[in-house]
Amino acid sequence: MSGNGEDMDVTEARIGVFVCHCGTNIAGYLDCEALMEYAATLPNVVYAKNNLYTCSESGIGEIQKAISDHRLTRVVVSSCSPRTHMPLFKSACAEAGLNPYLFEMANIRDQCSWVHMQERDAAQAKAKDLIRMAVAKAVLLTPQKDIEASLVKKAMVLGGGMAGLSSASALADMGVEVFLVEREAELGGLLRRINRVGPSGEKASDIVADMVRQVRDKPNIKLLLETELAGVGGVVGNYEVVLKTKSGEEIKQTVGSIVVATGAVPLNAEGLCGYDGKRVITQIELEEQLRDRKFEAKNVVMIQCVGARSAERKYCSRICCLSAVKNSIYIKELDPSAHVHVLYRDIQMYGTENEKLLWDSRGKGVRYDIYDASRPPVVKDGAVELYQPLTGMTVEIPFDLVVLSTPLVAPADSQTIANYMRIPVDGNNFFLEAHAKLRPLDFATDGIYLAGTARYPATVPEAQAQGLGAASRANTILSKDKLTFSALVSQVTDRCDGCGFCVDLCPYKALSLVEYEKDGQIRKKNRSDSILCKGCGVCAATCPKGGVVVLGFTRKQLEAQVDAALESLQ
């Protein structure tokens, strides 16, 4: 598009305002009747109504009826969060024949009633301000058309552990062609090193074998073992993936969606608590001894939170306590005369089944002692020195074997994968989801999803469930005939002079500079990719010349809101 993004014709605005009670969420703290009466006095408002629940079937019906009966050309809903409810209201407007981009919301729940419960008069005044601002902006809204794009109905699952196997199998069952990419020579991930799975006690090898069989039996899953990601380009629906095999062969594929299930790895315990790999080992090494029937110790001391909840790694690894308790029980079942002593800071056994496992272990004679993080256990020759904070005494616990419960950490190539896909990682290099509550399996980048311990340490059932969830999320894209995107994205205007200030700041890499010829000279101008752009507004806020704007948030629209907000001060 061209133009300055501002000079657009605005048809006569006939605005309908709907004030939602949201049960008592809003009406319990604000006078919704008074807000409705106030809205009716605002310029260009021809209809105002309050509803108990505007998002209900009856509330949606009232909006659609008002659009028809009162010839509304704009709709404003004063209710809750646009993040959760705006799509519903916009679709309701579209069904009634009104362009969905002629809709605006005022969030008087999150921004008024919830945060100002004890300041009702001020909250009421603020709600009026928000409604007045929404109406002022609505006058300047212009019709837009959704952006459409084609897609390739194929998926790539990166990682062949429990989450990846679960996701690939589910996608294949949905009829999707899947490329399952695993860097190792075998499928199964970390679970191949495990003896039994808690709290069920199932043999991990049986679970892996069953999942691998399911995947191998599906003709629409193509396995790519000993293969790593080498690059990702394109956009949602058409991701251009470059893979590299162990032999150096380069494979290129175009897929519509990607599931990241690259897992995690146990922390290297070198230098921690006298670790030597023989008498002092890690929990994962104990699993391998139990799995291979090479376990012989009679006096076992397990130390929890080794290398976790520290200055280097502040997080709790979640599954270490479950692993220690599960293995303690298995040791006692192998040899009831064996002594197992677990030294812990806190016990993380969430869920009723896990809690029962803890109590079962106590019943079998497993002993638990708490330790102070400021005075952790000290591994000496043949004994562990423990300061007991409850008694103030220091005791020595003899051992044949010390087992360190170390955390899972992100693989070394997490940051490289994140750079390829333009997806974020947290401070510990685990991948970071778009929103912990609203989009726990999504990335901010459309079409890329997350499952298993690639996000955070998870149990086997959790990894499997997340794999299924990520497959379902991926199929919301792959099941469509075409993709549609919001039109509220950045638009380069005639004022752009190609300075490039906004290009480096765009978090979605949606902007780029292109060369063109004018008056016999090679010049540069910005170009916006409407699929990659999410309308965040960083570019528009950066440009000092108005060379790029975000549709739906143009300068005139924002100025109208600011002027409306300042009216209460005049």
Side-chain angles (χ1 to χ4, degrees), residues 34 59 131 222 243 263 269 343 371 418 452 506 541 544 551:
I131 293 172
K222 182 177 180 180
L243 305 169
L343 311 181
Y371 73 84
C506 178
L551 298 178

Side-chain angles (χ1 to χ4, degrees), residues 259 283 322 335 348 381 398 427 475 484 506:
V259 174
Q283 206 63 246
L322 174 59
D335 182 1
Q348 175 71 279
D381 187 18
N475 202 45
T484 57
C506 178

Side-chain angles (χ1 to χ4, degrees), residues 108-124:
I108 62 172
R109 184 192 68 180
D110 300 20
Q111 297 177 8
C112 292
S113 64
W114 276 2
V115 293
H116 304 302
M117 292 180 178
Q118 311 306 322
E119 306 165 287
R120 298 197 179 191
D121 290 343
Q124 185 80 4

Side-chain angles (χ1 to χ4, degrees), residues 19-41:
V19 179
C20 182
H21 290 217
C22 198
T24 58
N25 277 296
I26 295 175
Y29 306 95
L30 300 177
D31 185 343
C32 293
E33 185 74 24
L35 291 176
M36 179 200 71
E37 293 173 355
Y38 173 75
T41 67

